[in-house]
Structure formats: C-alpha cells, structure tokens
Amino acid sequence: MRIEHVELVAIEVPLVGAFRTSFGTDTVRSTFLLRVVTDTGEGWAEFAGDPEPLYCAEFNASAELVLRDHLIPRVAALGDGVTAAKVGPALEAVKGHRLAKAVLETALLDAELRSYAMSFATYLGSVKERVPSGVSVGIMDSLPELLTAVEGYLADGYLRIKLKIEPGWDVEPVRAVRAAFGDDLLLQVDANTAYSLTDAEHLRALDDFGLLLIEQPLDEDDLRGHAELSKLIRTPICLDESITSARDAAAALALGACRVINIKPARVGGYLEARRIHDLSVANGVPVWCGGMLETGVGRAANLALAALPGFVLPGDTSASARYYAEDLTEPFVLEDGHIAVPDGPGTGVTVRPDALAKVTTGRRGLYAR
Ligand code: SMG
Ligand code: MG
C-alpha cells in the first residue's frame, strides 16, 4: 500500500447532554477525523483527544502538527510498502504523541483491511458477535439529578454504571446509587487523577459499596502511589491514564499498582499495542475492559471489535450512539438487551455519512499529498 494523500476533517459534534469530569465539562465533541487515501482505497479514523490537554498531554492542534510534520512523512517514506503493522516501527523515533500515532495507524489499518475485505474484528482476533455495554455518568449538580440519569440508563438496558467522581462528589453519590438500585448493580467509579495518596483514608470509605473498581485515582505518572494505595483500600484499582504502552502495563502489574486495566487504543498508540496489552493482561490473569473518549461511530466501531477479544471480561464504556449524539456520523450503534453488535464489514465496518459529516465539519486541511 502507498499513501497518496491525507486529509484532516475538523468536527464539532454536539453532545446530547453536558459531560462533566474532574477535569472539565464537555458539551460538544471537538476533534478531527483523518482520511487517508492509498493506492488501494481509503481509510478513516477519529482522533481521541480534545482541544485542550486536560485528559492527557496531547490536544487537537498538537496532533495536527505532529502528524503533518513528523508522523505522516515517516510513514509515507515507506513508499509502496506501507502496512499498519509497519507504522509503529516507522514512528518509534518520535517520542510520545500516542494519540496522534494511533489515529494514523488506525486510518491505515482501515484502508488495508478494506483492501482485503477483512474486518477489524477478524484481524484483531475477536471472539464475540456482540459486547456488553456500560455507561459513564458525569458529575452532576445534585444527587436527585444523578439518580434520574442512572435510572434512565438502566431503563435503556446498560449493564454497568460508571460514576465520574472528584473530591466532594464521591462517597455520597455512590451511596445514593447503591441505595436506589441495589447491591447487584455493576458499579464502578473514575476519578481521572483527582486524588492524592493523602486521600487514602477517605477513599477507603468506598470499600463499603462493593465497587468493581476505582479508576485512576492518582496522577498518571504515579505508579508507586497507586501501588501504595492498593495496600490501603480493598476496592480494586484500575489504571487508565497511567497505561500508555504494554511496557507500562507490565510495570504496573509488577509493582501491584493495579488489578484491572482500562484499554483505550488511542492512549496506547493504536490497536496493535492495545492487543499486546490485552495479551499481557490475559497472561497475568488481569481483567481488562474497553474505555471510551466520547467517540462518534467512526471511533466506536473499531473499539467494539477490540472489546470482543476474549480478555475483555468487564463491560466497557462502549455505549450506544444515542448516549452521546442525536445524529451520529455513521449508522448509529444501538443497544439491544444491554449489548452492542460488533461490526463485521470490511475495515471498521462503518462508513461516514457525507450529509451528517457536512453538518458538523468546521474545516478540512490537507496534511500530505504525494
Ligand atoms: O466514551 O463513554 C465514553 C466516555 C467514557 O468516561 C469516559 N471517558 O477517563 O475514562 C475516562 C473518560 C475520558 C474522556 S472524558 C471527556
Ligand atoms: Mg478513565
């Protein structure tokens, strides 16, 4: 495969409701799609980041620049020999920028798989036709508002609830949700790095509620702190932001910094590294689940294929299109009996609907032409 040209499509897609985390509030998903045209066809992928470097160090403008000036030229230099598997080695010299690397590798993988009429699910080794779906519930202004939101998601059929937490919104919302919906509800929390080790005593109060896990309580670079915290609380620690590679995952497990891993392909540089983390976790007996970055159908499709690998034993943040968007950019993903079907068509198995894309496009820029 040879890269002919690469185009960035900037999008602003309104969310159906505001989504508040410990680091900010989103009302619109502002990101970009990458369209890679090769001699065999085209491939699409969605950048997982935001306009601001609050979830991680990367952001939309940093990704655009590094793709244009450093990543795409290195992969294009492979000439006729481009494959998705060669993207990682070709980009190894460039430090960091994993979300940007992931969007390029994923668009090329989509193009490559379409040329063989093979799905992401087949390529990655998926074993399920549908995956159980959880939902991530933002921080709210009041407990009644939270209970109404959770009730709605449970009525939709979601099989697991994740509450976003921060200091001042943690034990009470968990207590309220447990009291309202019972002990059998699969429930977990995500702090997005909002705590420090001195909060251990406070976080121990969460042990009373039978949570599946607490996700990323401490800073992303604090593996030691997570290992210490895991000795002080019973709730299993799950890492998200801290795990940017299979090597990180191996270190976190060796240190006892986590007992569960949230795998987001973008955060770790793409689906190939995501699969390596899956394999490592399976070998270590560690459960994994698929995280989300409020993706449109473009990004969601490939995440569903990954979530169908055998080690993904917990429901993921792979919710239906309607949880995020009134109109998705692809055919909408729907919840059936708490599950979402894994796409089985070529590549990601979805196509971008030109009319839906046109409505949310704020700019198109060529990043490379042969
Ligand atoms: O895609 O349903 C989704 C969002 C899930 O909570 C979610 N993602 O830290 O796991 C996480 C957050 C990161 C994105 S917050 C804008
Ligand atoms: Mg998280």
Side-chain angles (χ1 to χ4, degrees), residues 100-230:
K101 290 174 178 175
V103 72
L104 180 57
E105 183 192 271
T106 305
L108 284 165
L109 182 55
D110 186 38
E112 182 180 346
L113 292 178
R114 283 176 199 267
S115 77
Y116 325 134
M118 182 187 282
S119 67
F120 265 64
T122 299
Y123 180 81
L124 293 172
S126 307
V127 295
K128 289 180 250 178
E129 271 78 60
R130 56 179 210 158
V131 293
S133 195
V135 61
S136 176
V137 185
I139 295 166
M140 309 254 163
D141 291 335
S142 70
L143 293 176
E145 203 184 328
L146 174 69
L147 294 179
T148 304
V150 171
E151 187 177 20
Y153 290 131
L154 294 177
D156 291 340
Y158 285 104
L159 299 173
R160 183 227 69 191
I161 298 290
K162 159 168 140 180
L163 302 182
K164 288 294 195 177
I165 59 167
E166 65 182 3
W169 182 268
D170 44 33
V171 179
E172 289 317 312
V174 167
R175 186 194 311 281
V177 168
R178 267 281 176 252
F181 305 106
D183 290 342
D184 291 342
L185 173 65
L186 299 181
L187 185 62
Q188 63 193 53
V189 294
D190 185 2
N192 289 108
T193 76
Y195 295 89
S196 64
L197 202 48
T198 53
D199 296 313
E201 185 107 357
H202 177 70
L203 292 173
R204 190 157 47 211
L206 293 172
D207 287 346
D208 291 345
F209 301 102
L211 299 177
L212 286 168
L213 56 92
I214 176 170
E215 183 177 342
Q216 198 69 43
L218 311 180
D219 279 343
E220 62 177 13
D221 60 359
D222 196 5
L223 286 184
R224 192 198 64 89
H226 284 100
E228 290 301 316
L229 182 62
S230 76

Side-chain angles (χ1 to χ4, degrees), residues 26 136 162 164 190 192 215 240 264 292-294 317 324:
D26 283 334
S136 176
K162 159 168 140 180
K164 288 294 195 177
D190 185 2
N192 289 108
E215 183 177 342
D240 172 357
K264 287 178 184 165
M293 294 296 288
L294 305 172
D317 284 345
Y324 311 96

Side-chain angles (χ1 to χ4, degrees), residues 84-86 102 105-106 109 112-113 118-127 243-247 249 261-284 286 288-290 302-303 305-312:
K86 289 187 190 162
E105 183 192 271
T106 305
L109 182 55
E112 182 180 346
L113 292 178
M118 182 187 282
S119 67
F120 265 64
T122 299
Y123 180 81
L124 293 172
S126 307
V127 295
I243 306 295
T244 67
S245 66
R247 188 184 289 146
I261 295 177
N262 165 337
I263 302 184
K264 287 178 184 165
R267 197 192 62 224
V268 303
Y271 286 86
L272 300 184
E273 188 74 356
R275 188 175 54 187
R276 288 188 276 271
I277 296 174
H278 162 272
D279 295 348
L280 172 85
S281 302
V282 170
N284 280 277
V286 167
V288 302
W289 55 282
C290 184
N303 284 348
L306 182 75
L309 266 63
F312 284 76

Side-chain angles (χ1 to χ4, degrees), residues 10-168:
I11 57 172
E12 302 246 345
V13 198
L15 291 165
V16 292
F19 184 60
R20 182 172 151 206
T21 66
S22 62
F23 61 86
T25 303
D26 283 334
T27 56
V28 58
R29 171 118 173 90
S30 305
T31 186
F32 63 83
L33 305 181
L34 201 69
R35 183 172 77 99
V36 175
V37 180
T38 74
D39 54 331
T40 67
E42 64 177 39
W44 289 78
E46 176 173 345
F47 181 63
D50 302 306
E52 291 186 276
L54 302 178
Y55 166 81
C56 67
E58 292 180 76
F59 54 104
N60 297 352
S62 75
E64 177 169 351
L65 210 62
V66 79
L67 279 161
R68 191 193 67 193
D69 294 349
H70 303 287
L71 305 183
I72 298 169
R74 281 177 164 80
V75 178
L78 298 173
D80 288 339
V82 175
T83 63
K86 289 187 190 162
V87 171
L91 300 181
E92 211 174 345
V94 177
K95 309 293 189 202
H97 296 281
R98 289 187 165 87
L99 273 67
K101 290 174 178 175
V103 72
L104 180 57
E105 183 192 271
T106 305
L108 284 165
L109 182 55
D110 186 38
E112 182 180 346
L113 292 178
R114 283 176 199 267
S115 77
Y116 325 134
M118 182 187 282
S119 67
F120 265 64
T122 299
Y123 180 81
L124 293 172
S126 307
V127 295
K128 289 180 250 178
E129 271 78 60
R130 56 179 210 158
V131 293
S133 195
V135 61
S136 176
V137 185
I139 295 166
M140 309 254 163
D141 291 335
S142 70
L143 293 176
E145 203 184 328
L146 174 69
L147 294 179
T148 304
V150 171
E151 187 177 20
Y153 290 131
L154 294 177
D156 291 340
Y158 285 104
L159 299 173
R160 183 227 69 191
I161 298 290
K162 159 168 140 180
L163 302 182
K164 288 294 195 177
I165 59 167
E166 65 182 3

Side-chain angles (χ1 to χ4, degrees), residues 321-338:
S321 297
R323 181 257 175 269
Y324 311 96
Y325 304 108
E327 185 179 18
D328 207 333
L329 303 184
T330 60
E331 280 306 297
F333 286 102
V334 293
L335 200 62
E336 271 174 49
D337 191 21

